[in-house]
Amino acid sequence: GRTTALIGPSGAGKTTVINLLLRLYAPDSGTILIDGVPLQELQRAGWLGLLAVAGQDIDLVEGSVLDNIRMADASASEQAVREAARLAGIDEFVHGLEDGYETWIGPQGHRFSGGQRQRLGLARALLRKPQLLILDEATNALDTELEQHIRHAIDEHLAGCTRLIISHREIAVRDANHVIRLEAGRVVA
């Protein structure tokens, strides 16, 4: 239920940490423990079912806005999708579109800005109601005020959710309970 921030310059190893947590890589040495249990001993599908990731590069697919957010949970109600979009700060924008949530997203979602795409990806992650939410530069295309508004909405809605925020911007992680600074693949603070 707390927030840990990983900060550091590009190439410091932040994405590698995420890939280790997603079990895309196995550690060369050492052990990652989840509540005292080695990560490699957890059933991968069960582990991945507990978390959601929102990043800076969001893949949108051809379909409606509703379809794109619902990718996280195909059985989610439209109300749940709208709530996730509200928390991600994109609901008002979507309502302003000609067809609202039924607006068609073309190939790769090029008609949406980087910040709009990030907020759609964040809504997708929030819809999962994860126990661990990983935000990998997930708000770097947003202005500071909107980013803080979204962060507070997430904190209120997902109070028991553990959050891992990855950023190279220290302002994005100022409310974190723990801050870990990486440089050249090593923890330096």
Side-chain angles (χ1 to χ4, degrees):
R2 302 189 77 184
T3 300
T4 298
L6 278 178
I7 62 172
S10 295
K14 300 180 302 288
T15 299
T16 299
V17 171
I18 294 171
N19 289 336
L20 287 165
L21 288 173
L22 295 176
R23 290 183 53 185
L24 297 174
Y25 304 152
D28 292 333
S29 63
T31 304
I32 298 171
L33 300 174
I34 306 298
D35 293 331
V37 177
L39 179 59
Q40 293 305 112
E41 291 180 14
L42 297 177
Q43 184 182 34
R44 186 169 189 266
W47 166 244
L48 294 179
L50 299 176
L51 54 89
V53 180
Q56 61 183 333
D57 299 319
I58 303 303
D59 291 325
L60 298 179
V61 297
E62 197 154 343
S64 69
V65 171
L66 185 68
D67 296 335
N68 271 268
I69 296 173
R70 235 187 221 149
M71 287 176 65
D73 180 357
S75 66
S77 69
E78 189 168 335
Q79 181 179 349
V81 169
R82 288 174 189 249
E83 175 64 12
R86 185 189 66 73
L87 291 170
I90 194 74
D91 181 62
E92 189 174 314
F93 167 76
V94 174
H95 276 298
L97 296 171
E98 185 175 332
D99 294 321
Y101 281 86
E102 293 303 322
T103 299
W104 195 256
I105 295 177
Q108 289 92 36
H110 291 302
R111 66 186 281 192
F112 294 94
S113 72
Q116 291 161 349
R117 293 164 58 89
Q118 281 186 339
R119 287 180 284 157
L120 287 170
L122 183 55
R124 187 185 293 165
L126 295 173
L127 185 63
R128 289 180 58 105
K129 296 183 180 92
Q131 290 183 28
L132 172 60
L133 177 62
I134 300 172
L135 302 174
D136 182 9
E137 302 281 6
T139 56
N140 70 349
L142 306 180
D143 64 60
T144 303
E145 184 178 329
L146 180 57
E147 180 178 25
Q148 288 304 312
H149 172 76
I150 292 169
R151 180 96 12 97
H152 292 325
I154 291 170
D155 289 346
E156 286 179 22
H157 185 72
L158 296 177
C161 175
T162 300
R163 292 168 300 279
L164 177 61
I165 300 172
I166 291 86
S167 183
H168 66 277
R169 301 180 319 153
E170 292 194 30
I171 193 166
V173 299
R174 67 177 171 204
D175 296 330
N177 301 105
H178 308 283
V179 177
I180 300 168
R181 179 182 300 281
L182 297 176
E183 286 183 19
R186 301 223 181 268
V187 175
V188 295

